[in-house]
């Protein structure tokens, strides 16, 4: 099998020739710019630039040489933009080394030394404090309540850091012929790679409420202001479906996987009672999934952190085929249990090793052992793409990253 065939076989619960592997196909399967820079230097690849394509999370875009080195089977189609050196400018990363931001991202430094990023109207909307390694949201447009008839929703959304400082390809949507150019570039990418292709679509619902109202307020809104929540979700759906229509028309026949996101879990359990999920979000998630399935052949990927065990049956019914990051250290998310109960109905994209605790602190031998153990659990019968649990963090030593991917290659060589 080539990489694309391998990924598709696993998603379709057919045993692939070997376990597929991901690094950097989306902003929850990536690598911190600091960790990436350390890795490339350790490997003697000093000629590679550390391009920070996701400026909020400070994630690097893995170079083709790195993807080849670790046998990566899938690509983020956003890489078709910001491809030339003149589209990046150098910055000093928190560890003192050099990285590169897209030319449009130029945060300022305040008196405390923190990096502050502003909306185009001058509103400070994101901060990376001294010593931190990612940006925090500091502006919540509707903190004080919902405006009459949700007036100004588009402006409010534009002042959320995830929207204002979005990663490629969506940072290029200002181009007059964006959709036409996007299709042309993705078509060229597909013709020149055997890797599977993923497009990050977002289309968050619960999270947009937390971005605009702040988490505490929006959680209360689910109980205290259900009419406002319904109106907001309906307005979001109108925008999401229009966006999906354009996206599918442009690349729906070229891309293999579409990635949605909506964090629904904490370490201790779902962020809401499952009945609330079924009332507010499941019908709308199903509408999004049904739309994709009716108009394309793309497989549907949901990123949701935390303990979502009790929601998985509903997520499957809504139409999600792939779950990520498979946060196995959360309550009720033991790998054996997940594979036993849901291994035939959903694909686990992640869960390959704990990023916090093992990958950042254990020895390379321990990393190898943990990875091989997870592969034994998750890989049988397909339905698994190897990736650590969420992004590789800044403090992960390069020796452990290499040990992790080498363990996958060892497992694949023995199957």
């Amino acid at each position: 099998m080539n990489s694309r065939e391998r990924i598709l076989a696993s998603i379709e619960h057919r045993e692939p020739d070997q376990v597929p592997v991901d690094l950097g196909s989306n902003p929850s399967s990536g690598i911190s710019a600091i960790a990436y820079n350390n890795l490339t230097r350790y490997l003697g690849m000093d000629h590679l630039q550390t391009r920070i394509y996701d400026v909020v999370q400070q994630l690097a875009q893995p170079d083709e040489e790195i993807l080849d080195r670790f046998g990566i089977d899938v690509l983020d189609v956003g890489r078709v933009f910001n491809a030339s050196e003149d589209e990046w400018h150098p910055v000093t990363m928190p560890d003192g080394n050099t990285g590169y931001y897209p030319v449009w991202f130029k945060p300022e430094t305040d008196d405390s030394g923190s990096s502050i990023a502003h909306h185009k109207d001058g509103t400070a909307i994101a901060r990376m404090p001294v010593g931190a390694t990612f940006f925090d949201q500091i502006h919540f447009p509707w903190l004080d309540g919902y405006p009459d008839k949700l007036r100004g929703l588009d402006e409010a959304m534009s002042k959320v850091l995830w929207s204002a400082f979005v990663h490629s390809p969506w940072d290029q949507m200002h181009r007059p012929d964006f959709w036409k150019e996007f299709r042309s570039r993705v078509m060229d990418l597909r013709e020149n790679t055997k890797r599977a292709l993923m497009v990050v679509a977002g289309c968050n619902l619960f999270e947009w409420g937390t971005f605009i109202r702040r988490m505490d307020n929006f959680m209360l809104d689910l109980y205290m202001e259900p009419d406002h929540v319904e109106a907001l979700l309906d307005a979001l759906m109108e925008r999401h479906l229009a966006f999906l229509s354009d996206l599918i028309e442009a690349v729906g026949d070229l891309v293999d996987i579409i990635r949605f996101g909506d964090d629904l879990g904490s370490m201790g359990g779902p962020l809401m009672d499952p009945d609330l999920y079924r009332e507010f979000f499941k019908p709308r998630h199903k509408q999004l999934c049904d739309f994709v399935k009716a108009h394309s052949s793309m497989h549907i990927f949901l990123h949701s952190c935390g303990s979502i065990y009790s929601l998985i049956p509903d997520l499957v019914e809504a139409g999600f085929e792939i779950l990520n990051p498979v946060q196995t250290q959360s309550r009720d998310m033991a790998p054996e249990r997940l594979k036993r109960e849901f291994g035939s109905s959903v694909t686990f994209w992640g869960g390959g090793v704990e990023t916090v605790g093992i990958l950042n602190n254990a020895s390379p031998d321990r990393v190898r052992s943990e990875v091989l153990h997870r592969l034994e659990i998750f890989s049988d019968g397909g339905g698994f793409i190897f990736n650590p649990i969420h992004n590789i963090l800044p403090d992960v030593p390069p020796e452990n990253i290499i040990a992790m991917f080498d363990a996958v290659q060892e497992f694949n060589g023995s199957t």
Side-chain angles (χ1 to χ4, degrees):
M1 291 182 175
N2 64 35
S3 287
R4 182 176 297 126
E5 293 166 343
R6 187 172 301 129
I7 289 279
L8 294 177
S10 196
I11 293 171
E12 294 165 3
H13 299 275
R14 294 181 286 112
E15 186 103 27
D17 63 331
Q18 59 187 47
V19 176
V21 185
D22 177 28
L23 175 67
S25 73
N26 69 91
S28 55
S29 70
I31 181 169
S32 152
I34 291 174
Y36 183 78
N37 191 67
N38 291 337
L39 176 64
T40 56
R41 302 295 86 81
Y42 184 86
L43 291 170
M45 298 180 178
D46 300 74
H47 58 285
L48 299 181
Q49 291 184 345
T50 299
R51 295 181 174 180
I52 307 171
Y53 88 105
D54 181 332
V55 298
V56 174
Q57 296 185 98
Q58 298 284 287
L59 302 180
Q61 180 173 278
D63 189 89
E64 286 278 353
E65 289 184 48
I66 291 294
L67 301 179
D68 289 341
R69 166 65 174 80
F70 295 120
I72 305 305
D73 293 299
V74 56
L75 293 174
D76 179 354
V77 296
R79 69 195 298 122
V80 300
F81 288 108
N82 300 329
S84 63
E85 289 191 12
D86 62 0
E87 294 175 289
W88 302 85
H89 69 100
V91 295
T92 301
M93 296 189 296
D95 68 345
N97 288 309
T98 299
Y100 293 82
Y101 281 156
V103 292
W104 52 263
F105 188 64
K106 297 179 179 179
E108 300 176 359
T109 303
D110 68 9
D111 293 340
S112 72
S114 298
S115 293
I116 308 294
H118 297 82
H119 183 262
K120 59 186 178 183
D121 73 357
T123 303
I125 64 175
R127 174 190 294 119
M128 183 162 63
V130 175
T133 55
F134 56 87
F135 280 86
D136 294 311
Q137 182 174 349
I138 60 174
H139 177 69
F140 298 86
W142 290 355
L143 184 62
D144 297 326
Y146 294 87
D148 184 48
K149 298 181 180 179
L150 304 185
R151 189 171 291 112
L153 175 58
D154 290 323
E155 180 183 2
M157 293 174 72
S158 78
K159 291 187 176 182
V160 170
L161 77 170
W162 301 103
S163 174
F165 311 128
V166 71
H167 54 77
S168 55
W170 313 120
D171 64 337
Q172 300 298 314
M173 287 189 73
H174 61 277
R175 292 169 176 256
D177 296 319
F178 169 75
W179 290 113
K180 180 179 179 181
E181 181 68 16
F182 188 34
R183 178 173 179 78
S184 174
R185 295 189 184 206
V186 173
M187 185 178 295
D188 184 66
L189 177 64
R190 187 174 181 90
E191 290 173 352
N192 288 282
T193 184
K194 295 300 184 182
R195 293 187 174 101
L197 301 182
M198 183 182 295
V199 63
V200 178
C203 293
N204 316 59
L205 293 171
F206 171 72
E207 284 186 322
W208 265 116
T210 68
F211 297 157
I212 294 173
R213 286 280 288 136
R214 204 174 63 187
M215 174 72 81
D216 53 346
N217 291 322
F218 192 63
M219 293 295 292
L220 286 173
D221 292 344
L222 296 175
Y223 292 94
M224 306 298 292
E225 298 196 54
D227 290 345
H228 277 136
V229 171
E230 293 278 7
L232 174 61
L233 295 178
D234 286 344
L236 290 171
M237 285 296 294
E238 181 180 351
R239 288 157 174 77
H240 291 343
L241 289 170
F243 167 74
L244 284 176
S245 180
D246 288 338
L247 186 155
I248 290 170
E249 182 178 358
V251 299
D253 59 331
L254 302 175
V255 171
D256 303 296
I257 305 142
I258 184 169
R259 188 260 202 194
F260 293 141
D262 237 348
D263 281 340
L264 301 170
S266 69
M267 293 291 288
L271 287 168
M272 67 192 77
D273 187 288
D275 286 340
L276 283 178
Y277 172 74
R278 296 178 191 120
E279 176 183 354
F280 288 109
F281 304 104
K282 181 179 178 180
R284 294 175 172 91
H285 277 155
K286 186 176 189 306
Q287 188 177 357
L288 293 173
C289 292
D290 286 349
F291 187 87
V292 171
K293 291 175 181 177
H295 297 93
S296 82
S297 59
M298 292 186 291
H299 293 283
I300 305 174
F301 173 122
L302 176 69
H303 166 75
S304 179
C305 287
S307 172
I308 57 171
Y309 169 80
S310 62
L311 297 177
I312 291 177
D314 292 295
L315 296 173
V316 172
E317 288 180 5
F320 296 114
E321 302 169 80
I322 303 162
L323 295 179
N324 159 274
V326 198
Q327 201 164 350
T328 56
Q329 69 269 51
S330 300
R331 183 178 180 180
D332 297 326
M333 295 285 285
E336 297 87 348
R337 183 181 192 180
L338 292 176
K339 184 67 175 181
R340 181 177 65 250
E341 296 187 22
F342 304 113
S344 63
S345 57
V346 73
T347 292
F348 296 110
W349 193 298
V353 66
E354 293 181 7
T355 312
V356 177
I358 299 297
L359 198 56
N360 62 341
N361 287 329
S363 68
D365 284 345
R366 175 75 187 282
V367 170
R368 172 185 173 274
S369 175
E370 291 288 331
V371 169
L372 292 174
H373 178 61
R374 292 295 179 90
L375 287 164
E376 289 285 353
I377 295 169
F378 277 121
S379 66
D380 186 45
F384 180 59
I385 283 79
F386 180 86
N387 192 235
I389 299 170
H390 221 297
N391 299 315
I392 297 171
L393 297 173
D395 62 340
V396 175
E399 297 93 332
N400 284 4
I401 298 172
I402 294 168
M404 174 180 68
F405 286 119
D406 283 355
V408 180
Q409 292 179 355
E410 175 187 343
F411 182 87
N412 281 334
S414 66
T415 57

